[in-house]
Amino acid sequence: MEFMGAKDALCKVANLNIGLPDTLAYYDEASFSAGFKKTMAFQPRVIKQNRGSSGEGIWIIKLKAGNYCKAYGERSCSDDEVLDMMEANDNHAETHTVAEFIEFCVNGRTGKSGTWTSKGVGKYLEGGKAAGGQLVDQRFCPRIVEGELRYNMVVDSLVGIIHKKPAAGGISAVGGTGSIYTYYGPEEPKFKALTENFLKRDLVHVMPSLGLASEPVPLWWTTDFILASPEGTPSDQEKWIVGEFNCSCVGISKCLAAYCKDDTPNASYSDISPEDLKEAQVYGDLMGTKAYGLLESARASPVDTSCITKVAGDDLGLMAQPKNPKYKVALAQIYVRSQPYGGSDKSSNGHRYDSIPFANGMITSGMSCQLIHYTQQEHDKFFEVCKQFDAIIVRCNPGQIKADGGDQARFDNGMRDMRKLGIQVWPSPDVMEFMGAKDALCKVANLNIGLPDTLAYYDEMSFAAGFKKTMAFQPRVIKQNRGSSGEGIWIIKLKAGNYCRSYGERSCGDDEVLDMMEANDNHAETHTVAEFIEFCANGRTNKSGTWTSKGVGKYLEGGKDAGGQLVDQRFCPRIVEGELRYNMVVDSLVGIIHKKPKEGGISAVGGTGSIYTYYGPQEPKFKTLTENFLMRDLVHVMPSLGLADEPVPLWWTTDFILASPEGTPLDQEKWIVGEFNCSCVGISKCLAAYCKDDTPNATYLDIDPQDLKEAQGYGDLMGTKAYEILDQASQRPVDVSCITRVAKDNLGLKRQPPNPRYKCALAQIYVRCQPYGGSDKSANGHRYDSIPFANGMISAGMSCQLIHYTHQEHDEFFEVCKQFSAIIVRCNPGQI
């Protein structure tokens, strides 16, 4: 709007076929005074201010004496030479000296400017170039008295031509001056030379010439042309020059019956005649088609990630991106520069060892998937790039961002911002936090897969009191929140075995002795109740005794907000028979692993000698658990965790422990959740691709073909599920409830499509201090021509929601706007 609407746009297109080479621009008094005096001495001129509308401040000027010099620059006008002038807004005439005209243009009405009858105030250079202060100086084309042409454009398509002829004796054909309008179709032979010069030769250069190479031409706009050729020029050789571009809320004149004025205060969409409405909707439908094409062209290009460092050496194994993806996905990774190979999960090219099956799964489903790396030095740039994707798959192992010098909380907050923009994040920080926290077991305690007597502690006092009571009743499992691979998970029994008969009958004394085993390595320790509480709360101190654990305790450090917590569950003795890991792609079970501890152990954590047995998702042995989990409980898991607005993760696991006593029939067994895990769960079939000391050059090609086939099966299912989730999200309209609904109704608006490819907003302004909300409004508060625009988008398969801007809701409005694919701005200049 700024660059096309500015009058100095005429200088920038001066060397195109539709331009006038001797077009000058002035931004200050000195250059204007010198330049105008020189051009005015040579030939009649048109001086155009930048800020006015409807011809105000556009002056057609001749020397009263007619004493033009023969060659440009041969002389300059003096201050006292007299000018005959006509203003284009109303064709009124004035006579002033050169000095008076310059003074009026620069300073407005002053003691030096003479007396003016213009409705304007002058001061055309006020504020300088940055504030829009400018004057454009062009040679006067005398054939303007024959009229000018307005080309009505929908993007790059001409939809109509209007010949606007001034009233007799006038020069300007601005509306309201008695001018005569004649309408032509886009193929009119009279104007074939101009149409070809404009559309076929010049149009492609207009936006680059204006410094707008990265912008498309507007959706609905006009160009006014003036005939510059001398009389007698054959029509096929005529030169028509641009008088101005206009894209600032150009109206659809066929809809004018819908706007309110004093004699039609209740005007509405229904007042537009069927014939006019049909023609207006043709324009709207073409706008929809063109808008769709522009958005498709933009989508066909990959997201530009050149502003962030390309960390990976190559993308070995990655499929070609689809030419026209419905959704664009990023797979975000972290390369730990201080660690060998970039971390313990990397292939030799710098990608995570299982990234390629994830990405190829997205591509197989018709989405693009670009692999990017986060570096804390490029935090802001990284998240600006992320804003351009529809979804982000986060594959950063816990602890790696910190290990690379970054701040995990800062990264997480960046991803939360993406979620606020409607961008899907798998898994989002809140999903990782709430599902991964051990107190998740309390929140699902009343589901089929939960254990009702599950308690959580967030401070030393509640832990000491609660643990002493539960420990006195039966063997317990105490789980810290922050550890991994079983560190800080303790299976605990009273050494004396003196359990009370009912819960709460007694509490343990500080000196009672505990037999303990830690799940990370199945090592045993013996401590008093007081020593265990001290270790959990404060770590190794002179009150905690001597510990052989690899951990440091301090499980409650920082309190709940910092993840300090302990979960207390009844010990299920049949854990020695093993636990089950359910591997999940969203809501689909893809495999079951039975993990049996080494003889004499309790934990089946890797590296402890445990035995793994693999089963398919339909394994009859575990039918009861599978049905309870998938068919009854899964739909309740995310709401139970406070994550009702989030889908279950893309790739995640749940570990189950058998809680039923021995002898329970298979179809009555109760399996309970031991933990959820969605924090960068690996695809074990790809482990051959990660670097370690004996395989420092490991790559995607080192994965066994059969393993790769199975891994890609998981990836393809992830792609299918991800596509479905994004499709479901696209079916929902953008939530605009945080901004005021101004319009009373949406009369005439078509039904929104059920699955729009793109979501558009049509933004309007209702001027609350003006009658009817402004001179362009229907009685319901919408702009009089908004409905054909919106219906055109809908006809093209996009949604289009009509919203209003109010300055009091500026921030909320633009938060809403971030969720649309495109915004059509229909706010008349000056109305905001």
Side-chain angles (χ1 to χ4, degrees):
M1 280 197 284
E2 180 183 343
F3 289 12
M4 288 196 85
K7 292 299 187 289
D8 64 356
L10 304 180
C11 302
K12 297 172 183 175
V13 299
N15 294 315
L16 301 184
N17 292 287
I18 56 170
L20 192 62
D22 52 328
T23 300
L24 307 175
Y26 311 117
Y27 304 100
D28 58 71
E29 182 177 0
S31 63
F32 169 50
S33 179
F36 173 66
K37 287 179 178 180
K38 190 181 292 187
T39 59
M40 194 69 249
F42 177 51
Q43 57 194 179
R45 306 303 293 175
V46 180
I47 301 295
K48 301 180 180 183
Q49 75 136 320
N50 186 43
R51 299 189 182 102
S53 61
S54 300
E56 188 265 308
I58 295 180
W59 296 96
I60 299 95
I61 312 177
K62 299 178 182 179
L63 287 177
K64 192 170 189 72
N67 55 330
Y68 301 105
C69 57
K70 292 182 178 180
Y72 175 68
E74 187 178 298
R75 81 173 186 92
S76 291
C77 285
S78 61
D79 285 342
D80 58 357
E81 290 189 61
V82 181
L83 307 174
D84 278 338
M85 305 166 57
M86 181 177 284
E87 192 173 16
N89 59 333
D90 56 8
N91 286 326
H92 85 278
E94 303 213 18
T95 301
H96 290 281
T97 65
V98 168
E100 287 173 342
F101 179 61
I102 292 171
E103 176 69 10
F104 180 75
C105 290
V106 175
N107 299 311
R109 289 176 169 85
T110 73
K112 298 178 182 179
S113 67
T115 302
W116 291 75
T117 56
S118 171
K119 296 173 183 174
V121 297
K123 301 183 183 181
Y124 305 138
L125 297 174
E126 192 170 52
K129 184 176 183 179
Q134 59 178 256
L135 283 164
V136 166
D137 179 353
Q138 282 189 311
R139 178 202 336 153
F140 172 63
C141 300
R143 293 186 70 183
I144 193 172
V145 297
E146 299 173 26
E148 55 188 310
L149 296 178
R150 171 159 288 183
Y151 272 41
N152 290 326
M153 302 289 298
V154 173
V155 190
D156 56 358
S157 291
L158 176 63
V159 295
I161 302 171
I162 307 173
H163 180 259
K164 304 189 291 180
K165 189 176 188 305
I171 291 178
S172 170
V174 168
T177 60
S179 49
I180 300 166
Y181 283 31
T182 307
Y183 296 85
Y184 298 93
E187 305 294 333
E188 176 55 43
K190 288 184 189 178
F191 312 121
K192 182 180 178 183
L194 167 59
T195 300
E196 289 190 352
N197 277 334
F198 182 38
L199 300 187
K200 296 181 181 177
R201 297 182 179 91
D202 281 357
L203 187 53
V204 69
H205 302 294
V206 166
M207 301 307 276
S209 296
L210 298 176
L212 298 167
S214 60
E215 292 279 355
V217 288
L219 198 59
W220 174 238
W221 60 298
T222 67
T223 304
D224 290 345
F225 293 100
I226 300 164
L227 184 54
S229 301
E231 288 191 53
T233 304
S235 62
D236 63 349
Q237 296 174 35
E238 286 179 341
K239 180 177 177 67
W240 290 80
I241 63 165
V242 176
E244 71 172 359
F245 300 111
N246 186 5
C247 63
S248 299
C249 214
V250 176
I252 300 178
S253 58
K254 296 293 181 181
C255 298
L256 284 171
Y259 88 87
C260 298
K261 49 190 189 300
D262 290 346
D263 59 335
T264 57
N266 299 309
S268 74
Y269 173 84
S270 301
D271 293 316
I272 305 170
S273 75
E275 188 58 40
D276 284 347
L277 186 57
K278 181 180 178 181
E279 192 169 339
Q281 199 51 62
V282 167
Y283 297 160
D285 290 349
L286 181 57
M287 288 180 221
T289 300
K290 294 287 186 178
Y292 191 98
L294 290 169
L295 291 171
E296 285 285 270
S297 296
R299 182 164 287 281
S301 305
V303 171
D304 182 1
T305 62
S306 61
C307 67
I308 58 174
T309 301
K310 181 171 175 60
V311 171
D314 58 62
D315 293 331
L316 181 64
L318 187 67
M319 297 171 69
Q321 303 289 349
K323 291 182 179 177
N324 191 17
K326 181 162 184 183
Y327 302 109
K328 294 183 178 181
V329 180
L331 191 146
Q333 308 164 92
I334 178 73
Y335 186 90
V336 186
R337 288 162 285 185
S338 62
Q339 293 181 358
Y341 319 116
S344 59
D345 59 349
K346 298 298 183 296
S347 291
S348 58
N349 62 0
H351 287 309
R352 205 184 124 89
Y353 69 91
D354 55 4
S355 287
I356 297 301
F358 272 81
N360 284 345
M362 304 301 120
I363 293 168
T364 300
S365 291
M367 301 179 284
S368 64
C369 190
Q370 293 172 245
L371 283 71
I372 59 177
H373 283 78
Y374 174 80
T375 60
Q376 53 100 5
Q377 292 88 348
E378 297 175 340
H379 177 91
D380 292 341
K381 292 178 182 177
F382 178 86
F383 281 103
E384 282 301 313
V385 165
C386 285
K387 288 177 183 177
Q388 299 175 63
F389 290 100
D390 300 298
I392 303 160
I393 302 170
V394 180
R395 299 295 289 165
C396 303
N397 243 337
Q400 288 190 328
I401 287 173
K402 184 177 180 181
D404 193 50
D407 182 338
Q408 183 70 51
R410 188 180 183 213
F411 177 86
D412 289 347
N413 286 333
M415 287 300 170
R416 288 187 178 98
D417 288 341
M418 298 305 102
R419 289 296 292 125
K420 290 174 185 175
L421 297 178
I423 298 167
Q424 186 63 58
V425 177
W426 287 301
S428 74
D430 289 341
V431 169
M432 280 196 285
E433 180 183 340
F434 291 10
M435 290 195 83
K438 292 298 187 288
D439 64 356
L441 304 180
C442 302
K443 296 172 183 175
V444 299
N446 293 315
L447 301 184
N448 292 288
I449 54 170
L451 192 63
D453 54 325
T454 301
L455 306 174
Y457 311 117
Y458 304 100
D459 58 72
E460 183 175 355
M461 186 179 296
S462 62
F463 169 51
F467 173 67
K468 287 178 179 180
K469 191 181 290 186
T470 57
M471 194 68 250
F473 177 52
Q474 57 193 177
R476 306 304 290 176
V477 180
I478 301 295
K479 302 180 179 184
Q480 75 136 320
N481 186 44
R482 298 189 183 99
S484 60
S485 301
E487 189 263 309
I489 296 179
W490 296 95
I491 299 95
I492 312 175
K493 299 178 182 179
L494 286 177
K495 191 170 188 71
N498 55 330
Y499 301 105
C500 56
R501 293 184 180 181
S502 59
Y503 175 68
E505 186 178 304
R506 81 174 187 92
S507 290
C508 285
D510 284 342
D511 58 353
E512 290 189 58
V513 180
L514 307 174
D515 278 338
M516 306 166 57
M517 181 178 285
E518 193 173 14
N520 61 332
D521 56 8
N522 287 326
H523 84 278
E525 303 210 20
T526 302
H527 290 280
T528 65
V529 168
E531 287 172 341
F532 179 60
I533 292 171
E534 176 69 10
F535 181 74
C536 291
N538 301 310
R540 288 177 168 84
T541 71
N542 56 7
K543 297 180 182 178
S544 67
T546 301
W547 291 75
T548 57
S549 171
K550 296 173 183 174
V552 296
K554 301 183 183 180
Y555 305 138
L556 298 172
E557 192 170 53
K560 185 175 183 179
D561 290 344
Q565 60 178 256
L566 283 165
V567 166
D568 179 353
Q569 281 189 312
R570 178 201 336 157
F571 172 63
C572 299
R574 292 186 70 182
I575 194 172
V576 296
E577 299 173 27
E579 54 188 310
L580 297 178
R581 170 159 287 183
Y582 272 41
N583 290 326
M584 303 287 297
V585 173
V586 189
D587 56 359
S588 292
L589 176 64
V590 296
I592 302 171
I593 307 171
H594 181 256
K595 303 188 291 180
K596 189 177 188 304
K598 181 182 178 181
E599 193 66 33
I602 292 178
S603 170
V605 168
T608 59
S610 49
I611 300 167
Y612 284 30
T613 307
Y614 297 85
Y615 297 94
Q618 305 296 331
E619 176 55 44
K621 286 185 188 179
F622 312 121
K623 181 182 178 184
T624 301
L625 168 58
T626 300
E627 289 185 353
N628 278 334
F629 182 38
L630 300 187
M631 298 181 187
R632 297 184 179 91
D633 282 356
L634 187 53
V635 69
H636 302 294
V637 167
M638 301 306 276
S640 296
L641 298 175
L643 297 166
D645 293 334
E646 292 279 1
V648 288
L650 201 58
W651 173 237
W652 60 298
T653 66
T654 304
D655 289 345
F656 294 100
I657 300 164
L658 184 54
S660 301
E662 288 192 52
T664 304
L666 278 179
D667 62 354
Q668 296 174 35
E669 284 181 342
K670 180 177 178 68
W671 290 81
I672 63 164
V673 176
E675 70 173 358
F676 300 111
N677 186 5
C678 63
S679 299
C680 214
V681 176
I683 300 178
S684 57
K685 297 291 180 180
C686 298
L687 284 170
Y690 88 86
C691 297
K692 49 190 188 300
D693 290 346
D694 58 335
T695 58
N697 299 308
T699 73
Y700 172 84
L701 299 178
D702 293 315
I703 304 171
D704 174 80
Q706 188 57 39
D707 285 343
L708 185 57
K709 181 180 179 182
E710 192 169 337
Q712 197 52 61
Y714 297 159
D716 291 349
L717 181 57
M718 288 181 222
T720 300
K721 295 288 185 178
Y723 191 99
E724 289 172 357
I725 291 169
L726 292 172
D727 249 8
Q728 287 169 6
S730 76
Q731 292 172 21
R732 295 191 295 269
V734 171
D735 181 2
V736 299
S737 62
C738 67
I739 59 174
T740 301
R741 177 175 168 80
V742 172
K744 298 172 186 174
D745 59 60
N746 292 326
L747 181 65
L749 187 67
K750 287 184 171 183
R751 187 186 298 273
Q752 303 290 349
N755 188 15
R757 173 93 161 153
Y758 301 106
K759 294 181 180 181
C760 299
L762 191 146
Q764 308 164 92
I765 179 73
Y766 186 89
V767 186
R768 288 163 285 183
C769 63
Q770 293 182 358
Y772 318 116
S775 60
D776 59 349
K777 297 298 184 296
S778 291
N780 62 0
H782 287 309
R783 203 184 125 91
Y784 70 91
D785 55 4
S786 288
I787 297 301
F789 272 81
N791 284 345
M793 304 303 118
I794 293 169
S795 295
M798 301 178 284
S799 64
C800 190
Q801 293 171 247
L802 283 70
I803 59 177
H804 284 78
Y805 173 81
T806 61
H807 67 87
Q808 293 89 345
E809 297 174 342
H810 178 91
D811 293 341
E812 293 91 341
F813 180 86
F814 282 101
E815 283 302 312
V816 165
C817 286
K818 288 175 183 176
Q819 300 176 60
F820 288 101
S821 314
I823 302 159
I824 302 168
V825 180
R826 300 294 289 164
C827 302
N828 245 336
Q831 288 189 329
I832 288 173

